[in-house]
Amino acid sequence: MSSQKVRVAIVGGGRTGTPLLEALSRLPYIEVVGVADADPDSHGARFAQEHDIFYTEYASVLGAKSGEIDLIIEVSGDRAVKPELKEAFRAQGNTDTIIVHDLVARLIMTLASGEDELVPSFHPDDRGIG
């Protein structure tokens, strides 16, 4: 992890990922280094492309960028994506990047949005480490 900035990638560029992406992009201690969304026309994909942030349609591609990403926040809403992302990390030997646990992702999203209540879970079956 960089001593100056936390390098974050976001999986999901829709109605949840985009506000999170925009909020985190404004913070001086966070560098958003990647966005993955299956829809290249999503708001998050367009934001990434307009702000020179790495974009891919495939979350698993982020696994190969272990030296460039400290944290991945998965908010795609697709329950199959996180297990696939974890498997891609194992296959690529990426033990450096942290896939943020659902509860922590919810906390980050709630803080970034200024909500008074914790946002709903995307991965209610998420247990233990990321």
Side-chain angles (χ1 to χ4, degrees), residues 13-14 18 36-50 55-57:
T18 298
D37 192 284
D39 179 3
D41 294 321
S42 71
H43 293 293
R46 287 197 311 268
F47 182 93
Q49 294 164 3
E50 291 166 5
Y55 166 74
T56 179
E57 292 180 36

Side-chain angles (χ1 to χ4, degrees), residues 77-109:
D78 181 344
R79 289 188 183 188
V81 170
K82 193 166 192 177
E84 290 170 3
L85 185 59
K86 288 180 182 182
E87 182 55 38
F89 273 44
R90 281 190 284 277
Q92 296 169 18
N94 181 345
T95 59
D96 298 321
T97 304
I98 298 167
I99 303 173
V100 176
H101 186 280
D102 180 66
L103 181 60
V104 177
R106 293 169 58 207
L107 177 61
I108 292 168
M109 290 185 305

Side-chain angles (χ1 to χ4, degrees), residues 2-124:
S2 168
S3 62
Q4 298 296 312
K5 292 188 177 195
V6 177
R7 300 168 300 174
V8 176
I10 297 174
V11 177
R15 67 179 181 272
T16 302
T18 298
L20 180 62
L21 172 61
E22 292 169 348
L24 294 179
S25 293
R26 290 190 294 269
L27 299 172
Y29 48 87
I30 292 179
E31 179 182 1
V32 178
V33 295
V35 173
D37 192 284
D39 179 3
D41 294 321
S42 71
H43 293 293
R46 287 197 311 268
F47 182 93
Q49 294 164 3
E50 291 166 5
H51 292 87
D52 200 30
I53 298 170
F54 176 80
Y55 166 74
T56 179
E57 292 180 36
Y58 306 99
S60 61
V61 170
L62 299 175
K65 300 176 83 53
S66 64
E68 302 169 37
I69 302 171
D70 298 315
L71 300 173
I72 292 183
I73 302 172
E74 197 282 306
V75 290
S76 70
D78 181 344
R79 289 188 183 188
V81 170
K82 193 166 192 177
E84 290 170 3
L85 185 59
K86 288 180 182 182
E87 182 55 38
F89 273 44
R90 281 190 284 277
Q92 296 169 18
N94 181 345
T95 59
D96 298 321
T97 304
I98 298 167
I99 303 173
V100 176
H101 186 280
D102 180 66
L103 181 60
V104 177
R106 293 169 58 207
L107 177 61
I108 292 168
M109 290 185 305
T110 303
L111 291 169
S113 67
E115 295 292 327
D116 292 332
E117 293 185 21
L118 195 62
V119 300
S121 176
F122 286 91
H123 301 283

